[in-house]
Amino acid sequence: MVALNPIVYWAQNQKDIFLRVELRDVKDENVVLLEDSLRFEATGVGACGLDKYAFHFNFFESINPGKSKYRATDRQVEFSLRKENCGKWWKRLTEESLKLPWLKIDFDKWKSPEDFEEETRDILQDRPDILRQLQEDEGVIEPINYRQVYLFVYNMAQFIGFLYIFVVMMINYAKKGPDSMEETFSNVGEVFKFVQLMAFLEILHVIFGYTKGGLMACFIQVLGRFIVLFGCINSEPRMQTKPVVFYLFFIWSLVELIRYPYYMFRVYNIEVSFLTWLRYTIWIALYPLGFLCEGVVYLRTIPYAEETGVFTIALPNAWNFAFHFPTAIRTLLLCFFFPGMYTTMIHMQRQRKKKLGPSYLRQKGE
C-alpha cells in the first residue's frame, strides 16, 4: 500500500527549521531524523481522510539531531530542527530544487534572520527578495492578501480626499488671497468631515492587528481632531469663517498628504527613502503648529458655547444628568490637551528614532 503525502508547512529563523505536518489523531508514527534527512510515516486524518501518510527528503543543509525535537498533538505534528550552522539562511528546505506540491511555506511563523529592531519582523516585511526566490524555487504562488488590498485602498482613498481638500484650498487662495480663508469650511468642510470620520477605522486597524502602532497615540489624534472639527467648528457657524480654520485645515492636510502615501507604499514593503524621511521629520514643524491652531479653536469656541448652550444639558431633565460643554472644553484643555500633545510628540520622536536611527542607516548601507 502506497502512503499518501501529508501537507507540510515549513519556516525558519536564524537557528531553527520549523515543520508543521497537517495530520490529526496521529498513531504509529515512525520518525527517522538524521543530519541530512528526515523520514516520517504515520497513520492519521489528513487531507484525504484517515489513511497512512509519509514523506522523505534530504535537507538543504545539515541539522543537529541532538538539539532537534518533535511532538504530535491532536491537530498536527510539529518539528523544531536546530540548524548545524546557526545563522545561515536556507535558500530552500530540500536538497534538490524540486517543486513538491505537498510542501508549503508557513508565512505566519517565518522569522527574518536580521533583527534591526526590538521586535522580530517576519519575512513578508523584511526580506521580500528572499520570499520571491523561495516562491520560485518551490512553485508557490502567493495568494491574494485581501488585508493588504484593503489597507492600500483605504490609504489611497484618504490620500485622494486630502489631496482634493488641499488643491481646492490652494486654488481659492491663489484667486482671492486671504479673503478666501473665510470660505474654507464652506468649500471643503463636508469632504473634511467625511475623511475624518473614515479615520476612525485606523483605531480598529490597530485593535484588530491590521496595522502596528500605538493604540493610545492613534486614539488621541483621531478623537482630538473629531472634537475640534465636529464639536467646535461644525457646531458654530461663526467659527467656520475664522482664519484659524484655514491654517488648521492646511496643516492637517499637509501632514496627511505625506502620511497616507507612505503607508500606501509600506503596505507592499516599498521603501521610498525621501518619503520616509518626510514622514518622520516634517511633524517636527507641523505638529506644534497644528496643536497651536487646535488650542486657538478651543479657546474661541468657549464664549460661543456659553452663549448658544450647544451640547449643554441642563437640569432638571428626565435623565437627571447635567453636562456643560464650555466647562468640558476647559477641562479638556487643562487635563487632556497638553498631556495628549506631549504623548503624541514623544510617540513621534520614538518612531523617528526607530525609523531613521542607526538601524535604518545600516539597512541603506550608509
Side-chain angles (χ1 to χ4, degrees):
M1 179 179 179
V2 179
L4 302 172
N5 294 128
I7 302 298
V8 180
Y9 292 90
W10 81 285
Q12 66 175 311
N13 61 19
Q14 286 183 316
K15 297 182 179 180
D16 300 297
I17 296 292
F18 303 102
L19 300 181
R20 173 163 55 89
V21 184
E22 293 293 288
L23 205 59
R24 295 184 287 111
D25 301 328
V26 172
K27 297 179 181 179
D28 304 324
E29 69 267 24
N30 181 22
V31 178
V32 179
L33 180 61
L34 304 176
E35 291 183 359
D36 59 350
S37 65
L38 171 62
R39 182 182 297 276
F40 174 86
E41 296 180 357
T43 300
V45 180
C48 298
L50 180 61
D51 211 322
K52 184 177 181 181
Y53 293 84
F55 63 83
H56 172 259
F57 59 81
N58 295 327
F59 292 118
F60 180 73
E61 296 280 352
S62 297
I63 66 163
N64 187 333
K67 296 184 178 180
S68 302
K69 56 185 178 180
Y70 84 95
R71 65 168 186 163
T73 68
D74 293 338
R75 300 178 57 187
Q76 60 197 16
V77 181
E78 300 172 349
F79 287 84
S80 178
L81 311 175
R82 179 60 53 88
K83 295 178 181 178
E84 185 68 35
N85 187 359
C86 293
K88 185 173 182 180
W89 189 262
W90 287 20
K91 182 180 178 181
R92 56 180 179 269
L93 176 64
T94 60
E95 180 181 32
E96 298 181 353
S97 58
L98 297 176
K99 298 179 180 179
L100 304 175
W102 48 269
L103 184 61
K104 304 178 183 297
I105 296 175
D106 189 349
F107 294 114
D108 293 332
K109 200 168 185 179
W110 202 302
K111 300 296 180 181
S112 167
E114 298 167 347
D115 189 7
F116 289 117
E117 300 177 7
E118 296 178 1
E119 183 179 273
T120 304
R121 300 164 293 184
D122 61 46
I123 190 173
L124 292 174
Q125 294 177 335
D126 280 346
R127 300 300 296 273
D129 54 336
I130 293 180
L131 174 61
R132 286 192 295 270
Q133 183 64 47
L134 286 166
Q135 291 172 339
E136 292 174 2
D137 289 343
E138 302 197 17
V140 176
I141 300 177
E142 183 182 0
I144 297 175
N145 190 324
Y146 292 103
R147 179 182 299 183
Q148 285 183 320
V149 174
Y150 162 73
L151 289 174
F152 181 85
V153 172
Y154 168 79
N155 288 308
M156 182 173 62
Q158 290 292 83
F159 170 72
I160 292 173
F162 280 104
L163 180 63
Y164 170 83
I165 293 168
F166 188 81
V167 170
V168 170
M169 290 174 58
M170 293 301 98
I171 291 176
N172 288 332
Y173 189 85
K175 289 180 179 180
K176 301 180 181 180
D179 292 338
S180 68
M181 292 183 179
E182 66 180 22
E183 301 174 356
T184 299
F185 192 82
S186 62
N187 289 330
V188 298
E190 294 302 318
V191 179
F192 218 115
K193 288 189 290 184
F194 175 77
V195 294
Q196 192 54 50
L197 287 173
M198 290 286 290
F200 273 96
L201 292 173
E202 296 177 25
I203 299 176
L204 298 179
H205 294 168
V206 178
I207 292 175
F208 293 116
Y210 276 37
T211 58
K212 297 179 181 179
L215 177 61
M216 183 57 65
C218 180
F219 180 80
I220 289 174
Q221 182 177 15
V222 174
L223 184 61
R225 286 190 180 184
F226 179 85
I227 295 173
V228 171
L229 181 59
F230 288 90
C232 298
I233 300 175
N234 185 66
S235 63
E236 177 49 61
R238 287 172 291 184
M239 274 299 306
Q240 297 170 11
T241 58
K242 302 299 181 184
V244 69
V245 176
F246 172 87
Y247 294 122
L248 183 62
F249 281 14
F250 174 83
I251 293 169
W252 282 356
S253 299
L254 192 57
V255 169
E256 305 302 16
L257 287 177
I258 297 170
R259 188 167 73 97
Y260 284 115
Y262 170 79
Y263 287 143
M264 287 168 57
F265 285 114
R266 290 304 300 161
V267 166
Y268 290 101
N269 306 299
I270 299 173
E271 181 72 36
V272 181
S273 299
F274 180 66
L275 189 60
T276 301
W277 181 85
L278 275 180
R279 165 73 180 101
Y280 291 101
T281 303
I282 200 170
W283 67 268
I284 298 174
L286 295 183
Y287 273 32
L289 292 175
F291 282 120
L292 176 63
C293 292
E294 291 175 18
V296 171
V297 171
Y298 282 130
L299 292 173
R300 295 296 297 270
T301 300
I302 291 174
Y304 294 139
E306 293 276 12
E307 177 186 341
T308 62
V310 62
F311 301 129
T312 294
I313 303 174
L315 291 171
N317 56 62
W319 302 282
N320 196 27
F321 169 79
F323 176 77
H324 191 240
F325 186 54
T327 301
I329 296 178
R330 294 186 183 99
T331 303
L332 179 65
L333 277 171
L334 293 175
C335 300
F336 299 100
F337 181 75
F338 293 106
M341 178 176 63
Y342 174 79
T343 300
T344 302
M345 298 291 283
I346 291 298
H347 171 75
M348 289 303 300
Q349 177 60 28
R350 289 173 178 170
Q351 290 296 309
R352 187 175 193 273
K353 183 178 180 181
K354 180 186 295 185
K355 295 295 182 180
L356 303 182
S359 61
Y360 176 82
L361 297 178
R362 287 198 298 269
Q363 281 182 294
K364 296 301 175 185
E366 299 180 7

mmCIF file of all heavy atoms in Angstrom, residues 303-344:
data_model
loop_
_atom_site.group_PDB
_atom_site.id
_atom_site.type_symbol
_atom_site.label_atom_id
_atom_site.label_comp_id
_atom_site.label_asym_id
_atom_site.label_seq_id
_atom_site.Cartn_x
_atom_site.Cartn_y
_atom_site.Cartn_z
ATOM 1 N N PRO A 303 -16.565 81.040 24.432
ATOM 2 C CA PRO A 303 -17.609 82.067 24.570
ATOM 3 C C PRO A 303 -18.831 81.807 23.695
ATOM 4 O O PRO A 303 -19.964 82.109 24.103
ATOM 5 C CB PRO A 303 -16.898 83.360 24.161
ATOM 6 C CG PRO A 303 -15.697 82.934 23.391
ATOM 7 C CD PRO A 303 -15.295 81.624 23.966
ATOM 8 N N TYR A 304 -18.627 81.253 22.504
ATOM 9 C CA TYR A 304 -19.767 80.921 21.649
ATOM 10 C C TYR A 304 -20.625 79.830 22.286
ATOM 11 O O TYR A 304 -21.861 79.870 22.234
ATOM 12 C CB TYR A 304 -19.290 80.455 20.269
ATOM 13 C CG TYR A 304 -18.609 81.519 19.444
ATOM 14 C CD1 TYR A 304 -17.473 81.228 18.695
ATOM 15 C CD2 TYR A 304 -19.108 82.824 19.404
ATOM 16 C CE1 TYR A 304 -16.845 82.199 17.924
ATOM 17 C CE2 TYR A 304 -18.492 83.803 18.644
ATOM 18 C CZ TYR A 304 -17.351 83.488 17.912
ATOM 19 O OH TYR A 304 -16.744 84.448 17.152
ATOM 20 N N ALA A 305 -19.972 78.818 22.874
ATOM 21 C CA ALA A 305 -20.713 77.738 23.525
ATOM 22 C C ALA A 305 -21.453 78.238 24.758
ATOM 23 O O ALA A 305 -22.560 77.766 25.066
ATOM 24 C CB ALA A 305 -19.759 76.605 23.902
ATOM 25 N N GLU A 306 -20.862 79.199 25.478
ATOM 26 C CA GLU A 306 -21.555 79.812 26.617
ATOM 27 C C GLU A 306 -22.817 80.529 26.155
ATOM 28 O O GLU A 306 -23.872 80.467 26.810
ATOM 29 C CB GLU A 306 -20.622 80.806 27.313
ATOM 30 C CG GLU A 306 -19.422 80.183 28.004
ATOM 31 C CD GLU A 306 -19.749 79.682 29.395
ATOM 32 O OE1 GLU A 306 -20.939 79.615 29.745
ATOM 33 O OE2 GLU A 306 -18.791 79.332 30.129
ATOM 34 N N GLU A 307 -22.725 81.188 25.026
ATOM 35 C CA GLU A 307 -23.848 81.973 24.508
ATOM 36 C C GLU A 307 -24.964 81.110 23.965
ATOM 37 O O GLU A 307 -26.150 81.343 24.231
ATOM 38 C CB GLU A 307 -23.347 82.918 23.423
ATOM 39 C CG GLU A 307 -24.424 83.751 22.737
ATOM 40 C CD GLU A 307 -23.884 84.557 21.583
ATOM 41 O OE1 GLU A 307 -22.650 84.768 21.520
ATOM 42 O OE2 GLU A 307 -24.701 84.967 20.724
ATOM 43 N N THR A 308 -24.620 80.103 23.190
ATOM 44 C CA THR A 308 -25.641 79.299 22.496
ATOM 45 C C THR A 308 -26.113 78.102 23.310
ATOM 46 O O THR A 308 -27.197 77.570 23.056
ATOM 47 C CB THR A 308 -25.094 78.790 21.161
ATOM 48 O OG1 THR A 308 -23.958 77.940 21.393
ATOM 49 C CG2 THR A 308 -24.663 79.956 20.275
ATOM 50 N N GLY A 309 -25.288 77.621 24.243
ATOM 51 C CA GLY A 309 -25.652 76.429 25.004
ATOM 52 C C GLY A 309 -25.578 75.153 24.202
ATOM 53 O O GLY A 309 -26.204 74.154 24.568
ATOM 54 N N VAL A 310 -24.828 75.145 23.082
ATOM 55 C CA VAL A 310 -24.717 73.960 22.244
ATOM 56 C C VAL A 310 -24.089 72.811 23.041
ATOM 57 O O VAL A 310 -23.133 72.998 23.787
ATOM 58 C CB VAL A 310 -23.879 74.264 20.979
ATOM 59 C CG1 VAL A 310 -22.463 74.675 21.340
ATOM 60 C CG2 VAL A 310 -23.878 73.083 20.022
ATOM 61 N N PHE A 311 -24.644 71.641 22.888
ATOM 62 C CA PHE A 311 -24.206 70.405 23.550
ATOM 63 C C PHE A 311 -24.360 70.448 25.068
ATOM 64 O O PHE A 311 -23.958 69.502 25.746
ATOM 65 C CB PHE A 311 -22.750 70.065 23.206
ATOM 66 C CG PHE A 311 -22.488 69.876 21.755
ATOM 67 C CD1 PHE A 311 -21.445 70.554 21.129
ATOM 68 C CD2 PHE A 311 -23.274 69.035 20.993
ATOM 69 C CE1 PHE A 311 -21.201 70.386 19.779
ATOM 70 C CE2 PHE A 311 -23.031 68.855 19.647
ATOM 71 C CZ PHE A 311 -21.997 69.538 19.034
ATOM 72 N N THR A 312 -24.891 71.503 25.632
ATOM 73 C CA THR A 312 -25.073 71.601 27.076
ATOM 74 C C THR A 312 -26.408 70.992 27.483
ATOM 75 O O THR A 312 -27.433 71.238 26.821
ATOM 76 C CB THR A 312 -25.013 73.074 27.528
ATOM 77 O OG1 THR A 312 -23.686 73.574 27.296
ATOM 78 C CG2 THR A 312 -25.343 73.205 29.007
ATOM 79 N N ILE A 313 -26.401 70.202 28.517
ATOM 80 C CA ILE A 313 -27.611 69.582 29.046
ATOM 81 C C ILE A 313 -27.829 70.120 30.465
ATOM 82 O O ILE A 313 -26.990 69.925 31.347
ATOM 83 C CB ILE A 313 -27.501 68.047 29.076
ATOM 84 C CG1 ILE A 313 -27.203 67.502 27.665
ATOM 85 C CG2 ILE A 313 -28.765 67.418 29.635
ATOM 86 C CD1 ILE A 313 -26.938 66.011 27.631
ATOM 87 N N ALA A 314 -28.932 70.808 30.663
ATOM 88 C CA ALA A 314 -29.200 71.441 31.954
ATOM 89 C C ALA A 314 -30.228 70.640 32.747
ATOM 90 O O ALA A 314 -31.064 69.922 32.184
ATOM 91 C CB ALA A 314 -29.709 72.871 31.745
ATOM 92 N N LEU A 315 -30.136 70.763 34.041
ATOM 93 C CA LEU A 315 -31.130 70.158 34.930
ATOM 94 C C LEU A 315 -32.303 71.121 35.112
ATOM 95 O O LEU A 315 -32.130 72.346 35.009
ATOM 96 C CB LEU A 315 -30.498 69.833 36.282
ATOM 97 C CG LEU A 315 -29.456 68.705 36.302
ATOM 98 C CD1 LEU A 315 -28.771 68.645 37.660
ATOM 99 C CD2 LEU A 315 -30.109 67.370 35.972
ATOM 100 N N PRO A 316 -33.498 70.638 35.402
ATOM 101 C CA PRO A 316 -33.853 69.214 35.533
ATOM 102 C C PRO A 316 -34.161 68.598 34.171
ATOM 103 O O PRO A 316 -34.549 69.275 33.231
ATOM 104 C CB PRO A 316 -35.097 69.261 36.402
ATOM 105 C CG PRO A 316 -35.732 70.573 36.038
ATOM 106 C CD PRO A 316 -34.611 71.534 35.762
ATOM 107 N N ASN A 317 -33.965 67.288 34.071
ATOM 108 C CA ASN A 317 -34.343 66.559 32.862
ATOM 109 C C ASN A 317 -34.662 65.121 33.246
ATOM 110 O O ASN A 317 -34.457 64.692 34.385
ATOM 111 C CB ASN A 317 -33.239 66.614 31.810
ATOM 112 C CG ASN A 317 -31.909 66.100 32.323
ATOM 113 O OD1 ASN A 317 -31.794 64.933 32.705
ATOM 114 N ND2 ASN A 317 -30.892 66.972 32.349
ATOM 115 N N ALA A 318 -35.183 64.378 32.302
ATOM 116 C CA ALA A 318 -35.645 63.010 32.568
ATOM 117 C C ALA A 318 -34.517 62.080 32.991
ATOM 118 O O ALA A 318 -34.739 61.091 33.688
ATOM 119 C CB ALA A 318 -36.345 62.453 31.331
ATOM 120 N N TRP A 319 -33.290 62.394 32.561
ATOM 121 C CA TRP A 319 -32.152 61.511 32.879
ATOM 122 C C TRP A 319 -31.446 61.929 34.165
ATOM 123 O O TRP A 319 -30.544 61.227 34.609
ATOM 124 C CB TRP A 319 -31.150 61.524 31.716
ATOM 125 C CG TRP A 319 -31.764 61.095 30.420
ATOM 126 C CD1 TRP A 319 -32.035 59.818 30.021
ATOM 127 C CD2 TRP A 319 -32.194 61.952 29.366
ATOM 128 N NE1 TRP A 319 -32.601 59.817 28.779
ATOM 129 C CE2 TRP A 319 -32.712 61.128 28.338
ATOM 130 C CE3 TRP A 319 -32.205 63.333 29.171
ATOM 131 C CZ2 TRP A 319 -33.231 61.630 27.153
ATOM 132 C CZ3 TRP A 319 -32.719 63.842 27.982
ATOM 133 C CH2 TRP A 319 -33.225 63.005 26.998
ATOM 134 N N ASN A 320 -31.820 63.079 34.708
ATOM 135 C CA ASN A 320 -31.165 63.608 35.915
ATOM 136 C C ASN A 320 -29.653 63.710 35.708
ATOM 137 O O ASN A 320 -28.839 63.324 36.551
ATOM 138 C CB ASN A 320 -31.469 62.716 37.123
ATOM 139 C CG ASN A 320 -31.155 63.425 38.440
ATOM 140 O OD1 ASN A 320 -31.204 64.661 38.519
ATOM 141 N ND2 ASN A 320 -30.814 62.652 39.455
ATOM 142 N N PHE A 321 -29.298 64.260 34.553
ATOM 143 C CA PHE A 321 -27.889 64.339 34.140
ATOM 144 C C PHE A 321 -27.622 65.726 33.599
ATOM 145 O O PHE A 321 -28.420 66.275 32.839
ATOM 146 C CB PHE A 321 -27.596 63.281 33.067
ATOM 147 C CG PHE A 321 -26.256 63.450 32.405
ATOM 148 C CD1 PHE A 321 -25.103 63.024 33.034
ATOM 149 C CD2 PHE A 321 -26.165 64.030 31.138
ATOM 150 C CE1 PHE A 321 -23.866 63.176 32.419
ATOM 151 C CE2 PHE A 321 -24.936 64.179 30.523
ATOM 152 C CZ PHE A 321 -23.784 63.745 31.162
ATOM 153 N N ALA A 322 -26.481 66.299 33.976
ATOM 154 C CA ALA A 322 -26.105 67.633 33.513
ATOM 155 C C ALA A 322 -24.749 67.584 32.817
ATOM 156 O O ALA A 322 -23.846 66.827 33.225
ATOM 157 C CB ALA A 322 -26.052 68.606 34.681
ATOM 158 N N PHE A 323 -24.634 68.386 31.764
ATOM 159 C CA PHE A 323 -23.360 68.476 31.031
ATOM 160 C C PHE A 323 -23.212 69.902 30.527
ATOM 161 O O PHE A 323 -24.086 70.426 29.829
ATOM 162 C CB PHE A 323 -23.343 67.501 29.852
ATOM 163 C CG PHE A 323 -22.108 67.600 29.005
ATOM 164 C CD1 PHE A 323 -20.910 67.038 29.436
ATOM 165 C CD2 PHE A 323 -22.131 68.260 27.783
ATOM 166 C CE1 PHE A 323 -19.768 67.121 28.651
ATOM 167 C CE2 PHE A 323 -21.000 68.354 26.994
ATOM 168 C CZ PHE A 323 -19.808 67.779 27.430
ATOM 169 N N HIS A 324 -22.085 70.527 30.877
ATOM 170 C CA HIS A 324 -21.817 71.908 30.466
ATOM 171 C C HIS A 324 -20.646 71.892 29.493
ATOM 172 O O HIS A 324 -19.492 71.671 29.865
ATOM 173 C CB HIS A 324 -21.493 72.769 31.694
ATOM 174 C CG HIS A 324 -21.471 74.238 31.391
ATOM 175 N ND1 HIS A 324 -20.355 75.021 31.585
ATOM 176 C CD2 HIS A 324 -22.434 75.067 30.899
ATOM 177 C CE1 HIS A 324 -20.623 76.269 31.238
ATOM 178 N NE2 HIS A 324 -21.872 76.322 30.819
ATOM 179 N N PHE A 325 -20.948 72.119 28.207
ATOM 180 C CA PHE A 325 -19.947 71.978 27.153
ATOM 181 C C PHE A 325 -18.756 72.932 27.341
ATOM 182 O O PHE A 325 -17.603 72.506 27.179
ATOM 183 C CB PHE A 325 -20.601 72.184 25.792
ATOM 184 C CG PHE A 325 -19.682 71.930 24.627
ATOM 185 C CD1 PHE A 325 -19.005 70.728 24.510
ATOM 186 C CD2 PHE A 325 -19.487 72.893 23.645
ATOM 187 C CE1 PHE A 325 -18.150 70.483 23.441
ATOM 188 C CE2 PHE A 325 -18.645 72.672 22.576
ATOM 189 C CZ PHE A 325 -17.968 71.461 22.477
ATOM 190 N N PRO A 326 -18.954 74.215 27.651
ATOM 191 C CA PRO A 326 -17.790 75.091 27.864
ATOM 192 C C PRO A 326 -16.865 74.585 28.964
ATOM 193 O O PRO A 326 -15.633 74.670 28.845
ATOM 194 C CB PRO A 326 -18.429 76.436 28.224
ATOM 195 C CG PRO A 326 -19.777 76.388 27.601
ATOM 196 C CD PRO A 326 -20.221 74.965 27.705
ATOM 197 N N THR A 327 -17.445 74.076 30.046
ATOM 198 C CA THR A 327 -16.613 73.517 31.118
ATOM 199 C C THR A 327 -15.855 72.282 30.637
ATOM 200 O O THR A 327 -14.699 72.061 31.004
ATOM 201 C CB THR A 327 -17.480 73.152 32.333
ATOM 202 O OG1 THR A 327 -18.154 74.323 32.801
ATOM 203 C CG2 THR A 327 -16.638 72.578 33.455
ATOM 204 N N ALA A 328 -16.516 71.484 29.795
ATOM 205 C CA ALA A 328 -15.847 70.299 29.245
ATOM 206 C C ALA A 328 -14.655 70.704 28.387
ATOM 207 O O ALA A 328 -13.597 70.046 28.425
ATOM 208 C CB ALA A 328 -16.836 69.477 28.424
ATOM 209 N N ILE A 329 -14.794 71.805 27.625
ATOM 210 C CA ILE A 329 -13.676 72.275 26.805
ATOM 211 C C ILE A 329 -12.529 72.738 27.695
ATOM 212 O O ILE A 329 -11.356 72.435 27.439
ATOM 213 C CB ILE A 329 -14.133 73.412 25.870
ATOM 214 C CG1 ILE A 329 -15.168 72.894 24.868
ATOM 215 C CG2 ILE A 329 -12.933 73.999 25.128
ATOM 216 C CD1 ILE A 329 -15.705 73.966 23.956
ATOM 217 N N ARG A 330 -12.844 73.494 28.736
ATOM 218 C CA ARG A 330 -11.806 73.957 29.658
ATOM 219 C C ARG A 330 -11.093 72.768 30.309
ATOM 220 O O ARG A 330 -9.864 72.759 30.444
ATOM 221 C CB ARG A 330 -12.423 74.857 30.728
ATOM 222 C CG ARG A 330 -12.990 76.172 30.194
ATOM 223 C CD ARG A 330 -13.436 77.069 31.333
ATOM 224 N NE ARG A 330 -14.036 78.297 30.844
ATOM 225 C CZ ARG A 330 -15.347 78.505 30.749
ATOM 226 N NH1 ARG A 330 -16.215 77.530 31.103
ATOM 227 N NH2 ARG A 330 -15.818 79.653 30.283
ATOM 228 N N THR A 331 -11.870 71.775 30.722
ATOM 229 C CA THR A 331 -11.278 70.578 31.334
ATOM 230 C C THR A 331 -10.404 69.843 30.329
ATOM 231 O O THR A 331 -9.312 69.353 30.664
ATOM 232 C CB THR A 331 -12.391 69.644 31.840
ATOM 233 O OG1 THR A 331 -13.229 70.350 32.757
ATOM 234 C CG2 THR A 331 -11.804 68.426 32.530
ATOM 235 N N LEU A 332 -10.887 69.764 29.087
ATOM 236 C CA LEU A 332 -10.110 69.113 28.038
ATOM 237 C C LEU A 332 -8.783 69.816 27.816
ATOM 238 O O LEU A 332 -7.734 69.170 27.687
ATOM 239 C CB LEU A 332 -10.920 69.096 26.742
ATOM 240 C CG LEU A 332 -10.257 68.465 25.511
ATOM 241 C CD1 LEU A 332 -10.042 66.980 25.747
ATOM 242 C CD2 LEU A 332 -11.117 68.679 24.272
ATOM 243 N N LEU A 333 -8.819 71.143 27.802
ATOM 244 C CA LEU A 333 -7.587 71.911 27.607
ATOM 245 C C LEU A 333 -6.602 71.682 28.742
ATOM 246 O O LEU A 333 -5.405 71.481 28.524
ATOM 247 C CB LEU A 333 -7.913 73.403 27.492
ATOM 248 C CG LEU A 333 -8.356 73.904 26.117
ATOM 249 C CD1 LEU A 333 -8.850 75.341 26.209
ATOM 250 C CD2 LEU A 333 -7.204 73.807 25.123
ATOM 251 N N LEU A 334 -7.083 71.724 29.968
ATOM 252 C CA LEU A 334 -6.201 71.642 31.127
ATOM 253 C C LEU A 334 -5.709 70.231 31.407
ATOM 254 O O LEU A 334 -4.547 70.026 31.759
ATOM 255 C CB LEU A 334 -6.921 72.188 32.364
ATOM 256 C CG LEU A 334 -7.229 73.687 32.362
ATOM 257 C CD1 LEU A 334 -8.045 74.054 33.591
ATOM 258 C CD2 LEU A 334 -5.940 74.501 32.317
ATOM 259 N N CYS A 335 -6.602 69.258 31.260
ATOM 260 C CA CYS A 335 -6.292 67.894 31.719
ATOM 261 C C CYS A 335 -5.882 66.934 30.612
ATOM 262 O O CYS A 335 -5.195 65.936 30.891
ATOM 263 C CB CYS A 335 -7.494 67.310 32.471
ATOM 264 S SG CYS A 335 -7.980 68.264 33.929
ATOM 265 N N PHE A 336 -6.301 67.209 29.377
ATOM 266 C CA PHE A 336 -6.058 66.232 28.310
ATOM 267 C C PHE A 336 -5.286 66.808 27.130
ATOM 268 O O PHE A 336 -4.500 66.099 26.507
ATOM 269 C CB PHE A 336 -7.389 65.645 27.812
ATOM 270 C CG PHE A 336 -8.163 64.914 28.871
ATOM 271 C CD1 PHE A 336 -9.212 65.518 29.525
ATOM 272 C CD2 PHE A 336 -7.815 63.617 29.219
ATOM 273 C CE1 PHE A 336 -9.916 64.849 30.506
ATOM 274 C CE2 PHE A 336 -8.508 62.935 30.198
ATOM 275 C CZ PHE A 336 -9.567 63.553 30.849
ATOM 276 N N PHE A 337 -5.525 68.084 26.795
ATOM 277 C CA PHE A 337 -4.910 68.640 25.593
ATOM 278 C C PHE A 337 -3.387 68.626 25.682
ATOM 279 O O PHE A 337 -2.702 68.094 24.805
ATOM 280 C CB PHE A 337 -5.425 70.059 25.353
ATOM 281 C CG PHE A 337 -4.863 70.697 24.116
ATOM 282 C CD1 PHE A 337 -5.307 70.318 22.860
ATOM 283 C CD2 PHE A 337 -3.879 71.665 24.204
ATOM 284 C CE1 PHE A 337 -4.794 70.904 21.717
ATOM 285 C CE2 PHE A 337 -3.359 72.266 23.065
ATOM 286 C CZ PHE A 337 -3.820 71.880 21.822
ATOM 287 N N PHE A 338 -2.847 69.185 26.737
ATOM 288 C CA PHE A 338 -1.393 69.251 26.862
ATOM 289 C C PHE A 338 -0.762 67.878 27.116
ATOM 290 O O PHE A 338 0.266 67.559 26.508
ATOM 291 C CB PHE A 338 -1.018 70.249 27.962
ATOM 292 C CG PHE A 338 -1.371 71.670 27.612
ATOM 293 C CD1 PHE A 338 -2.441 72.306 28.218
ATOM 294 C CD2 PHE A 338 -0.650 72.354 26.647
ATOM 295 C CE1 PHE A 338 -2.774 73.613 27.885
ATOM 296 C CE2 PHE A 338 -0.970 73.659 26.309
ATOM 297 C CZ PHE A 338 -2.040 74.291 26.925
ATOM 298 N N PRO A 339 -1.344 67.028 27.992
ATOM 299 C CA PRO A 339 -0.798 65.659 28.095
ATOM 300 C C PRO A 339 -0.883 64.904 26.766
ATOM 301 O O PRO A 339 0.026 64.147 26.424
ATOM 302 C CB PRO A 339 -1.673 65.004 29.168
ATOM 303 C CG PRO A 339 -2.167 66.138 29.995
ATOM 304 C CD PRO A 339 -2.370 67.272 29.028
ATOM 305 N N GLY A 340 -1.997 65.109 26.034
ATOM 306 C CA GLY A 340 -2.131 64.454 24.735
ATOM 307 C C GLY A 340 -1.088 64.942 23.751
ATOM 308 O O GLY A 340 -0.527 64.152 22.970
ATOM 309 N N MET A 341 -0.829 66.241 23.749
ATOM 310 C CA MET A 341 0.202 66.809 22.878
ATOM 311 C C MET A 341 1.568 66.219 23.223
ATOM 312 O O MET A 341 2.329 65.820 22.336
ATOM 313 C CB MET A 341 0.223 68.328 23.018
ATOM 314 C CG MET A 341 1.290 69.026 22.202
ATOM 315 S SD MET A 341 1.191 70.825 22.312
ATOM 316 C CE MET A 341 1.507 71.064 24.074
ATOM 317 N N TYR A 342 1.858 66.137 24.509
ATOM 318 C CA TYR A 342 3.139 65.574 24.943
ATOM 319 C C TYR A 342 3.259 64.106 24.536
ATOM 320 O O TYR A 342 4.302 63.669 24.016
ATOM 321 C CB TYR A 342 3.269 65.708 26.457
ATOM 322 C CG TYR A 342 4.493 65.040 27.037
ATOM 323 C CD1 TYR A 342 5.741 65.655 26.968
ATOM 324 C CD2 TYR A 342 4.401 63.786 27.644
ATOM 325 C CE1 TYR A 342 6.866 65.049 27.491
ATOM 326 C CE2 TYR A 342 5.521 63.169 28.172
ATOM 327 C CZ TYR A 342 6.752 63.798 28.092
ATOM 328 O OH TYR A 342 7.863 63.178 28.604
ATOM 329 N N THR A 343 2.175 63.326 24.753
ATOM 330 C CA THR A 343 2.194 61.903 24.397
ATOM 331 C C THR A 343 2.419 61.708 22.911
ATOM 332 O O THR A 343 3.214 60.852 22.487
ATOM 333 C CB THR A 343 0.868 61.241 24.812
ATOM 334 O OG1 THR A 343 0.688 61.372 26.219
ATOM 335 C CG2 THR A 343 0.870 59.762 24.434
ATOM 336 N N THR A 344 1.737 62.510 22.097
ATOM 337 C CA THR A 344 1.880 62.388 20.644
ATOM 338 C C THR A 344 3.287 62.745 20.192
ATOM 339 O O THR A 344 3.883 62.050 19.355
ATOM 340 C CB THR A 344 0.860 63.290 19.938
ATOM 341 O OG1 THR A 344 -0.458 62.936 20.358
ATOM 342 C CG2 THR A 344 0.967 63.147 18.430
#
